[in-house]
Amino acid sequence: MSLKSNNIADNLNEEQLKAVTRTEGAVLVLAGAGSGKTRVLTRRIAYILEQGLARPSQILAITFTNKAADQIKQRVYALCEEDKKIYFPWIGTIHSCCLKMLRQYPEDAGYRNNFLIYDTDDKKSVIKNCMKQLNISDKAFPVAYVASEISRAKDDLLGYKEYAAANANDFQKKAVAGIYELYQIKMKEYNAMDFDDIILNTYFLLKDNRHILEYFQKIFKYILIDEFQDTNIAQYRIFAMLSMKHKNLFVVGDDDQSIYGFRGANVKNILGFEKDFPDCTVIKLETNYRSYANILTAANAVIKNNVARKSKTLKTSKPEGSRINVYKAYNELNEAVYVANEIKKLMEKGYSCKDFAVLYRTNAQSRVFERIFRERGLNYRIFGGLSFFSRQEVKDVLAYMRVVFSTDDDASLFRIINQPKRGIGDTTVKRIQSIAAREYLSSYEIVKNADRYEQLSSAAEKLKAFSDMIEQLKEYNVPGQLEQLYDNILKLTGIHEYYISEDVNFGRERVENIKELKSAIVTMNQSQQEDFGELLSLETFLENVTLATDADKEEESDDYISIMTLHSAKGLEFRVVFLVGMEEGLFPSNLSMSEGAHGLEEERRLCYVGITRAMDILYCIHAEERTRYGKTEPCEQSRFLKEIPKELINSGKRAFSRREKSGSSFDWFTSSQPVSVTKGGKPVNIPGLKTSTEASVKKQDYSIGDRVMHKKYGEGSIKDLYDDNGMDIVEVNFDMAGVKRMVLEFAKLVKIQ
């Protein structure tokens, strides 16, 4: 292979070049935010190829999304002179690479050739059935909790026996151990794995089969792991085993950006790497190419308060830039109004919607921003909602495909056996499961031969019609015929008509989603032919669907403001970032604080991630009071804000100035009904008077001393009127409720003569 004239070393600083060219032995790269780690990773692969140290098939490069894997491949391709692309079979996500190993040796892993991969919903469905069989209430033991516990156990390489032994004195977890045991038995019966099993089974495949381990050790001369701080124990053990022969394990990550502890990520993997590999080379990438100096100084000031971290300090050659804008809002509505106003101002200076991001701790915080942005005509997009392949109607069609692929897939079988409705009820399903367990046969075999069993006599015809349909569909389980399979599923099931008749309001939307699934099949088939010269098989399609994530999907190139959680923002960058809801109990969350130092440090890392998303301007906003779970409560400024040096803060961004301590609040109503007010506890009709939300309400329409009526607080007198950051503010001294501070636009005040 030859490389283009532009040298691999171009545009690399000293430490980046060291990381690219240090090809022998274990290497730990501590890559700070915005320090160019993807560039280092791709250049290192290109360098290995240029030096003839390995062939593309001998490089194992692990990323955490398919999108990131494709990006790495494309960047390496760009360095090559040849027109044809180099095939990298082992650049991908940990799950896709482990799955490839398991497909090579299914029987050694304890499975049959056509094993299935269950997604989260399928997993929960099986767990729920296990709990029913064990007579365990899902109210006492929520399915999500049980699923999480099983995942954690697998991440820590604990089978159900080991999990039970480790929690012998914990009543709750002892019950989970019983569910875990039955769940694994069922999954083996179904010839299925969940996502955690992909990793766990790969670990034991390598550990318990020396010839297989040695085979893969021989293949992988170089192993590169991206986002190493997000790996769990099981994943780390796999990488360590595979690297034993050639010793060339290259890991890149940032312990300060380890924010996925709730998913099983173990920051100790990166913190303890030097102990596991004492001869490793440690390289720190501390030059940030993203943000202005003040933003980095703020980030460094916050993260240095963590104890469990590798010492490093981000620096930049960029100028100081703007100070950090800290704004104290009245409440969540004022917070959203302020953000919208600031965006409008910056757009007048040349910024576009795509330059802005609003980042929050919880998804529930998005609601008010959606409302205000719509009112202000600001284009936005919410990230983190329900993904396409997770929608009910799409999963229904996919379930038919999965049963066609493997009739052992009980979770999918029972999802569709009466979907659309065909008169096969829960009682029949329970009888099928009971007979299958007794006869040691698959549930589908019982369905197919229902006429042989007296217990199923009443439903035998319906079950036979269903199995005949599946057998007919199985004829299309041929590479290149997925479109025909899809068409026949729709034709034979009548699922289109079912959704239209079932849901008048959303049926058509569901049908549109089902139609979009065919587009996915067509696109994926084209890609398979172009990239690999082969027709798309049902197996490949189902695997790609299961492994897909929101982060992997290409977004439209529309100009929109990004609204998302801090977790979703990792790896992204924006010219202007608004960190909202920076209050104790919200960020850091109450849950994290209850977990002690460990939980608080992960929250601080999350704050660090949020700060370092900003390139030009950073806003940090907190509220005086906030309504959560239907209750309005006073708020305390987040400790993370207090950790930013005062000299970095723009003190001009304050909501209250001299009025801070007056105990204000404000409220608004969403009802479109006429305002009804009371006086002395009795309804009062005030004809001919307008509320402050009608037409265009202006400050000059009111005067200090005016008597007004409010739907919630009753009568009062206007104490003060003033402008604050483009908003008309009114202070009212209510007779019964005291002084309240409100945005005039939303106050719905009625003047009383």
Side-chain angles (χ1 to χ4, degrees):
M1 174 194 136
S2 59
L3 297 180
K4 289 183 178 180
S5 57
N6 58 311
N7 196 288
I8 289 174
D10 286 352
N11 301 315
L12 296 179
N13 63 38
E14 184 179 342
E15 293 304 305
Q16 288 175 328
L17 183 62
K18 185 178 177 182
V20 167
T21 57
R22 187 63 60 90
T23 57
E24 301 305 311
V27 179
L28 169 63
V29 178
L30 297 170
S35 62
K37 68 177 179 65
T38 304
R39 175 184 295 178
V40 166
L41 205 63
T42 53
R43 298 289 183 91
R44 181 179 174 86
I45 294 172
Y47 183 78
I48 290 168
L49 295 171
E50 183 193 49
Q51 297 297 310
L53 300 174
R55 298 187 301 276
S57 60
Q58 294 175 312
I59 298 173
L60 174 65
I62 299 297
T63 66
F64 272 77
T65 67
N66 293 317
K67 187 176 180 179
D70 290 340
Q71 187 182 50
I72 288 171
K73 290 176 187 177
Q74 293 303 323
R75 290 196 182 187
V76 175
Y77 296 156
L79 293 168
C80 304
E81 286 186 349
E82 292 89 344
D83 293 333
K84 68 176 184 178
K85 296 179 179 179
I86 306 167
Y87 178 51
F88 289 97
W90 297 102
I91 295 181
T93 65
I94 177 65
H95 288 92
S96 65
C97 290
C98 285
L99 188 57
K100 198 173 291 185
M101 296 182 201
L102 291 168
R103 291 289 185 200
Q104 271 186 256
Y105 298 96
E107 292 181 0
D108 294 277
Y111 290 80
R112 298 186 295 282
N113 279 329
N114 61 338
F115 65 81
L116 287 155
I117 308 299
Y118 279 14
D119 65 12
T120 302
D121 288 343
D122 298 324
K123 174 182 177 179
K124 288 180 178 178
S125 177
V126 177
I127 289 172
K128 195 170 184 178
N129 288 332
C130 290
M131 291 171 67
K132 284 181 181 178
Q133 191 171 329
L134 295 169
N135 292 318
I136 297 174
S137 169
D138 58 5
K139 291 183 179 178
F141 293 84
V143 174
Y145 163 74
V146 176
S148 176
E149 278 297 306
I150 293 173
S151 287
R152 288 290 183 119
K154 291 178 180 180
D155 289 345
D156 295 338
L157 298 173
L158 298 176
Y160 56 80
K161 291 180 181 178
E162 292 79 9
Y163 179 85
N167 298 283
N169 297 322
D170 188 318
F171 169 78
Q172 193 173 30
K173 291 186 177 181
K174 201 172 176 180
V176 172
I179 302 169
Y180 183 9
E181 180 178 6
L182 183 58
Y183 172 74
Q184 291 301 105
I185 292 171
K186 291 287 186 186
M187 292 293 281
K188 277 292 182 72
E189 288 178 3
Y190 302 160
N191 197 33
M193 301 182 194
D194 60 29
F195 269 64
D196 304 308
D197 284 327
I198 293 174
I199 306 300
L200 187 69
N201 290 333
T202 301
Y203 170 78
F204 284 111
L205 176 71
L206 299 173
K207 180 177 177 292
D208 298 338
N209 297 275
R210 188 169 184 82
H211 67 290
I212 297 174
L213 175 60
E214 289 177 349
Y215 169 76
F216 285 113
Q217 284 178 334
K218 187 178 179 181
I219 287 179
F220 302 137
K221 292 185 71 174
Y222 288 91
I223 300 174
L224 302 88
I225 313 298
D226 193 15
E227 304 288 1
F228 186 59
Q229 77 281 347
D230 295 332
T231 56
N232 60 37
I233 292 173
Q235 293 166 352
Y236 183 27
R237 296 277 179 86
I238 291 172
F239 305 142
M241 280 194 291
L242 290 172
S243 67
M244 282 180 174
K245 179 176 176 62
H246 297 289
K247 313 283 186 193
N248 299 323
L249 178 59
F250 177 90
V251 300
V252 57
D254 184 6
D255 52 301
D256 289 334
Q257 296 187 72
S258 180
I259 59 174
Y260 295 119
F262 64 96
R263 294 183 187 171
N266 194 331
V267 71
K268 293 180 181 178
N269 289 347
I270 193 168
L271 296 176
F273 189 82
E274 291 171 81
K275 291 182 180 178
D276 296 338
F277 297 87
D279 297 327
C280 77
T281 301
V282 180
I283 301 169
K284 295 182 181 180
L285 304 183
E286 297 176 293
T287 302
N288 176 287
Y289 295 95
R290 175 186 299 155
S291 308
Y292 282 105
N294 280 340
I295 295 171
L296 296 184
T297 304
N300 290 329
V302 171
I303 201 63
K304 75 177 183 181
N305 291 282
N306 273 6
V307 176
R309 66 183 293 264
K310 297 281 189 180
S311 177
K312 55 189 171 299
T313 302
L314 290 179
K315 54 184 182 283
T316 182
S317 58
K318 287 188 174 184
E320 287 186 352
S322 305
R323 291 184 179 184
I324 314 303
N325 299 299
V326 175
Y327 180 76
K328 183 177 182 181
Y330 309 127
N331 60 14
E332 65 271 17
L333 181 61
N334 177 224
E335 178 181 58
V337 170
Y338 171 75
V339 170
N341 288 346
E342 290 298 298
I343 289 173
K344 286 277 193 180
K345 290 177 186 176
L346 289 168
M347 288 178 70
E348 290 173 0
K349 297 179 180 179
Y351 284 84
S352 302
C353 284
K354 64 183 179 184
D355 295 324
F356 302 98
V358 178
L359 309 181
Y360 41 70
R361 183 63 180 85
T362 67
N363 275 307
Q365 293 169 253
S366 73
R367 177 181 58 85
V368 181
F369 289 97
E370 291 183 71
R371 172 192 165 186
I372 296 302
F373 285 8
R374 283 196 302 268
E375 290 178 358
R376 299 292 192 277
L378 294 169
N379 193 23
Y380 69 90
R381 180 171 294 169
I382 301 286
F383 289 80
L386 196 64
S387 67
F388 175 78
F389 292 112
S390 297
R391 294 168 189 169
Q392 177 189 332
E393 59 276 14
V394 175
K395 286 183 72 70
D396 285 344
V397 178
L398 290 174
Y400 277 97
M401 291 183 169
R402 289 158 73 110
V403 172
V404 168
F405 177 68
S406 173
T407 52
D408 289 330
D409 183 1
D410 271 21
S412 294
L413 176 69
F414 292 125
R415 180 184 183 97
I416 61 170
I417 198 166
N418 200 40
Q419 181 73 352
K421 307 293 185 192
R422 50 177 65 91
I424 303 172
D426 290 343
T427 301
T428 300
V429 169
K430 288 177 182 176
R431 288 172 179 172
I432 293 169
Q433 292 173 321
S434 176
I435 297 169
R438 186 184 71 218
E439 301 284 342
Y440 296 101
L441 294 170
S442 72
S443 296
Y444 182 76
E445 282 296 313
I446 307 303
V447 171
K448 193 176 177 181
N449 300 286
D451 56 354
R452 298 179 185 178
Y453 303 97
E454 186 177 344
Q455 297 123 291
L456 300 175
S457 58
S458 62
E461 286 188 21
K462 295 171 183 175
L463 292 171
K464 183 67 165 59
F466 173 76
S467 64
D468 285 347
M469 178 182 65
I470 297 298
E471 293 299 312
Q472 190 175 340
L473 291 171
K474 284 167 73 173
E475 296 175 10
Y476 298 94
N477 185 11
V478 179
Q481 292 199 30
L482 260 68
E483 291 179 52
Q484 291 89 333
L485 173 60
Y486 166 91
D487 289 339
N488 278 279
I489 289 172
L490 267 58
K491 179 183 175 182
L492 296 176
T493 63
I495 203 164
H496 267 183
E497 294 77 11
Y498 167 75
Y499 275 119
I500 292 292
S501 62
E502 190 76 2
D503 193 335
V504 176
N505 294 321
F506 299 102
R508 295 194 180 280
E509 183 178 331
R510 292 184 184 277
V511 168
E512 289 299 318
N513 287 333
I514 293 174
K515 289 180 179 177
E516 187 60 26
L517 180 60
K518 187 170 184 178
S519 301
I521 294 170
V522 172
T523 303
M524 205 175 293
N525 191 31
Q526 289 173 345
S527 297
Q528 191 75 5
Q529 291 183 55
E530 291 171 4
D531 293 345
F532 305 104
E534 40 184 52
L535 296 172
L536 181 66
S537 69
L538 180 55
E539 176 183 346
T540 300
F541 175 72
L542 292 174
E543 280 184 5
N544 288 341
V545 166
T546 305
L547 294 172
T549 64
D550 284 343
D552 298 328
K553 298 180 180 68
E554 291 291 334
E555 299 293 344
E556 298 175 9
S557 59
D558 297 345
D559 188 25
Y560 54 82
I561 301 163
S562 297
I563 306 177
M564 67 183 77
T565 64
L566 284 150
H567 284 98
S568 300
K570 188 172 178 291
L572 305 176
E573 61 183 28
F574 305 91
R575 291 184 67 187
V576 183
V577 168
F578 295 88
L579 294 185
V580 301
M582 296 198 69
E583 301 129 28
E584 292 290 295
L586 183 56
F587 189 36
S589 69
N590 282 321
L591 179 61
S592 68
M593 291 190 287
S594 70
E595 295 173 345
H598 169 76
L600 185 59
E601 290 209 348
E602 179 149 325
E603 282 293 279
R604 186 173 282 109
R605 292 195 291 269
L606 191 58
C607 182
Y608 173 84
V609 167
I611 293 173
T612 54
R613 298 313 92 196
M615 301 167 67
D616 300 354
I617 305 172
L618 174 66
Y619 291 82
C620 296
I621 307 169
H622 63 106
E624 185 182 60
E625 65 179 34
R626 187 174 298 272
T627 302
R628 299 181 70 193
Y629 314 118
K631 189 177 180 181
T632 301
E633 295 179 339
C635 303
E636 181 185 350
Q637 183 187 65
S638 171
R639 68 190 68 195
F640 303 146
L641 281 178
K642 297 174 183 176
E643 292 169 357
I644 299 175
K646 290 182 180 178
E647 60 270 19
L648 296 178
I649 293 174
N650 185 348
S651 59
K653 298 297 180 183
R654 302 281 292 177
F656 299 149
S657 65
R658 62 184 173 83
R659 302 179 175 87
E660 276 184 335
K661 299 180 181 180
S662 63
S664 72
S665 176
F666 84 49
D667 197 3
W668 78 98
F669 300 94
T670 57
S671 173
S672 60
Q673 299 300 314
V675 174
S676 100
V677 299
T678 61
K679 187 173 184 179
K682 297 180 180 179
V684 176
N685 292 318
I686 310 178
L689 294 178
K690 293 183 178 182
T691 69
S692 62
T693 55
E694 295 182 63
S696 59
V697 180
K698 298 179 180 178
K699 188 170 59 178
Q700 50 266 38
D701 296 334
Y702 296 83
S703 303
I704 294 175
D706 281 351
R707 294 288 291 175
V708 293
M709 187 71 78
H710 187 269
K711 187 174 180 179
K712 180 177 180 180
Y713 300 120
E715 276 189 44
S717 301
I718 293 180
K719 184 181 176 184
D720 201 359
L721 290 157
Y722 55 93
D723 177 89
D724 191 309
N725 285 292
M727 291 176 288
D728 288 337
I729 306 299
V730 58
E731 264 188 25
V732 183
N733 187 3
F734 291 102
D735 299 344
M736 301 298 293
V739 177
K740 303 291 179 183
R741 189 180 298 119
M742 311 176 198
V743 175
L744 188 59
E745 181 184 356
F746 301 102
K748 288 192 174 182
L749 297 175
V750 177
K751 287 175 70 173
I752 302 173
Q753 301 298 328

